[in-house]
Amino acid sequence: MPAYALGDKVATRKAYGDALVWLGATRPWVVALDGEVSNSTHADEFAKAYPDRFFEMYIAEQQLVAAAVGLSVRHYVPFASTFAAFFTRAYDFIRMAAISQADIRLAGSHAGVEIGADGPSQMALEDLAMMRAVQGSTVLYPSDATSAVALVRAMADKSGISYLRTTRGAYPVLYGGDEEFRIGGSKVLRSRDDDVVTLVGAGVTVYEALAAADRLAKDGVPARVIDLYSVKPVDVDTLVAAAGVTGGRFVLVEDHHPEGGLGSAVIDALVGAGVQVRVAHLAVRELPGSGTTAELLAGAGIDAAHIEAAARELLG
């Protein structure tokens, strides 16, 4: 499997391409498709390594998904990628794939305000909600390259509709190659027995949550940090355990609209488990503009400073 050194900056979309190439070498029935953005999704790495198993579908996202379904019927293991925002064009095909009980794997890159200068037309801010709503789906959102590779591998063995959200920018590798990432799991990156608040993020917001926890720690405020890389199914046990330690206080932060994403997944899980919670839900609530990643994360209220402020407000 591809391996990365701790601290190296690697985009999860690059790790997706690396993982595909590795899968292609070990599993000849793995195929890849893309919607004419393979140089951005990094599916082009698979295309160069195995040109006879790569299918360029051009700007035809409905056909991208339809062809993936057809290949799955022929007992191939298809991975179809494009910008996450463009899967909205193919949602009926994704929905019908689930009804048909097809096995397809979708990868959406360039999600959220994190992409920066490309502007709101390219920023998928509804994809997690869209994919969570698909019957029986699996929705994954890795924060670093190591977890991205592990989750691509897990998707190859997963039946049904699975979706991987990848990040445009390169961020430090958090996990060693010996870490395991099961579907339905999460990772606790900061924890103490006396934690008073839990910060939950996924993808880029994990790094903002870690920075916020460091700021709080300087004032003697211990905060638990959870990387919720599996958005569906969600790790209920870890969330319930965190609630028990931190008095049900959660800051949920996501680079997504507030409806139907990570925050909804966590709240649904905790309420379903009968846990009483006090929640600050930070999400992209206004139409974003164009700018640097730092400017847009701050403008949306999902950066470290806003997470820290939300935690302090919960603590009174």
Side-chain angles (χ1 to χ4, degrees):
M1 290 177 63
Y4 309 95
L6 292 173
D8 282 358
K9 290 187 175 181
V10 183
T12 54
R13 62 188 174 110
K14 175 63 169 68
Y16 169 74
D18 295 343
L20 273 188
V21 172
W22 173 77
L23 278 176
T26 57
R27 305 184 187 196
W29 50 90
V30 168
V31 296
L33 309 87
D34 199 88
E36 207 172 6
V37 289
S38 62
N39 61 328
S40 295
T41 63
H42 285 278
D44 62 345
E45 296 181 27
F46 186 94
K48 293 169 185 174
Y50 316 106
D52 58 331
R53 287 190 274 152
F54 176 79
F55 301 88
E56 176 57 78
M57 305 311 298
Y58 301 100
I59 306 175
E61 288 78 10
Q62 291 179 333
Q63 191 57 45
L64 172 73
V65 175
V69 172
L71 285 162
S72 74
V73 171
R74 300 297 297 172
H75 307 296
Y76 290 96
V77 176
F79 284 81
S81 54
T82 186
F83 284 10
F86 300 162
F87 275 122
T88 59
R89 303 169 180 170
Y91 190 64
D92 179 49
F93 282 65
I94 297 168
R95 171 181 172 272
M96 289 304 298
I99 291 171
S100 302
Q101 299 184 338
D103 298 332
I104 61 173
R105 297 137 195 93
L106 309 175
S109 71
H110 292 65
V113 302
E114 185 273 343
I115 71 171
D118 286 354
S121 67
Q122 310 295 301
M123 296 172 180
L125 290 164
E126 58 287 298
D127 56 312
L128 295 178
M130 180 175 75
M131 297 301 184
R132 281 184 69 221
V134 174
Q135 197 278 325
S137 64
T138 298
V139 180
L140 306 169
Y141 187 12
S143 61
D144 81 337
T146 299
S147 54
V149 168
L151 293 173
V152 170
R153 180 185 183 182
M155 290 168 70
D157 297 322
K158 181 67 177 173
S159 60
I161 313 300
S162 55
Y163 175 65
L164 184 82
R165 190 191 218 215
T166 63
T167 302
R168 179 183 185 179
Y171 294 88
V173 173
L174 298 172
Y175 303 106
D178 57 345
E179 291 278 352
E180 294 185 2
F181 295 86
R182 63 177 180 86
I183 291 174
S186 66
K187 291 291 182 181
V188 180
L189 290 168
R190 297 274 196 283
S191 70
R192 288 178 22 174
D193 292 339
D194 59 346
D195 288 333
V196 294
V197 64
T198 302
L199 315 179
V200 183
V204 65
T205 61
V206 168
Y207 297 90
E208 299 299 321
L210 288 170
D214 289 342
R215 293 184 182 201
L216 291 166
K218 290 179 180 178
D219 285 341
V221 180
R224 184 161 300 198
V225 178
I226 297 176
D227 176 359
L228 200 78
Y229 65 79
S230 182
V231 181
K232 180 187 178 183
V234 74
D235 188 353
V236 180
D237 291 343
T238 296
L239 293 171
V240 170
V245 173
T246 62
R249 288 181 288 268
F250 286 86
V251 179
L252 313 176
V253 54
E254 58 186 315
D255 193 358
H256 187 274
H257 289 318
E259 299 86 3
L262 176 144
S264 294
V266 172
I267 293 168
D268 289 350
L270 290 170
V271 171
V275 177
Q276 293 195 2
V277 294
R278 293 178 57 200
V279 171
H281 183 193
L282 309 186
V284 183
R285 298 177 183 273
E286 304 292 336
L287 180 68
S290 177
T292 67
T293 295
E295 288 170 341
L296 293 175
L297 292 175
I302 59 173
D303 66 345
H306 285 88
I307 297 170
E308 177 191 9
R312 292 184 185 280
E313 185 173 349
L314 276 179
L315 293 167

